[in-house]
Amino acid sequence: FLNNEMLKDGKKQIRWDSGVGIKPISPTGTKRLVRRAIKYALENGRRSVTLVHKGNIQKFTEGAFRDWGYELAREEFRAQTVTERESWILDNKDENPGLAVEQNAAMIEPGLEQATEAFKKTVYDEVQKTLDAIYATHGQGQWKQKVLINDRIADSVFQQVLMRADEYSVLATSNLNGDYLSDACAAQVGGLGMAPGSNIGDGYGVFEATHGTAPKYADKDVINPSSVMLSGAMMFEFLGWKDAAKLIEDGIARTIQQKRVTYDLERLMPGATKLGTSAFASAIIENMQGAAAARR
């Protein structure tokens, strides 16, 4: 079908011995995900939501995910958000109120002077429409208080989370890219034993350790329980019990700061004391009790 119908007028053909997979990405699923990501950022004081995609290659799926994400942000969260590109336009205008649309366009689109007239007009129109639509509500520095919506190519983000993690806050991405990235990010904070997980739908949530079950370690009292505990903390947040969630998170953080940790973290921390699962949990409870007493 692909060769005989979709590619019949082109020079390129898919090799006949190829495997072919179908990758459905819908505006319904995309907007539901991005909507939740933006709501999470607003409710938790996060400064940005980054749409992670491979749209430079997979234009009709990953590229559509990016476009639908921006569309959702503009349609449903216009007052609370600003896109990265809009922020450039607004900042240029803030810095120089007399800046012409053409000058502003040249500043946000490098090499514009070499572009076709049709493309130049597209960028000029983008600048003018942005200023007309949101300069009154987002200009004069107001955009700096909004949640920034931007996008990054998936392979670029793998480098970014290693070298410039502080520039990112909430990542919204499709399942496969998210699987890769969540494990890569977990590795930076000690491994999968530190990574909580959740599956949240419309009104319901299931919370579980990212790593799944590990039967071979059952009853050995060695595994890091933080992933399960932090998944529980996420459940409390979902239920609105934010103080309970914070108590768990702070208890775990304090115990790690004291270098009383399970074997997976001990081998990464010079001078740490290795604890079993139950002893580590007891240390966390001890720190939770201390924090709770201090609050009283």
Side-chain angles (χ1 to χ4, degrees), residues 254-261 269-275:
R254 180 59 180 154
T255 307
I256 293 172
Q257 288 168 354
Q258 294 167 345
K259 295 192 173 184
R260 297 190 287 167
V261 292
M269 300 171 65
T273 299
K274 182 167 67 175
L275 302 178

Side-chain angles (χ1 to χ4, degrees), residues 173-238:
T173 186
S174 55
N175 186 274
L176 184 61
N177 291 332
D179 276 349
Y180 295 146
L181 271 170
S182 60
D183 282 11
C185 291
Q188 292 184 249
V189 294
L192 291 181
M194 294 301 302
S198 66
N199 296 278
I200 300 175
D202 296 327
Y204 301 91
V206 176
F207 301 83
E208 59 185 343
T210 299
H211 52 64
T213 59
K216 70 177 182 178
Y217 292 109
D219 297 324
K220 294 188 177 179
D221 198 34
V222 296
I223 290 299
N224 187 345
S226 298
S227 182
V228 174
M229 291 180 175
L230 290 170
S231 296
M234 290 178 70
M235 181 186 71
F236 285 138
E237 284 189 355
F238 179 74

Side-chain angles (χ1 to χ4, degrees), residues 24 32 39 68-69 76 90 115 126 152 155 167-168 193 208 220 242 247 257 260 272-273 275:
R32 184 170 59 184
K39 283 184 177 180
W68 290 327
E76 297 188 17
L90 296 168
E126 176 192 1
R152 296 291 184 269
D155 44 305
E167 296 181 12
Y168 298 90
E208 59 185 343
K220 294 188 177 179
K242 295 186 182 298
L247 200 60
Q257 288 168 354
R260 297 190 287 167
T273 299
L275 302 178

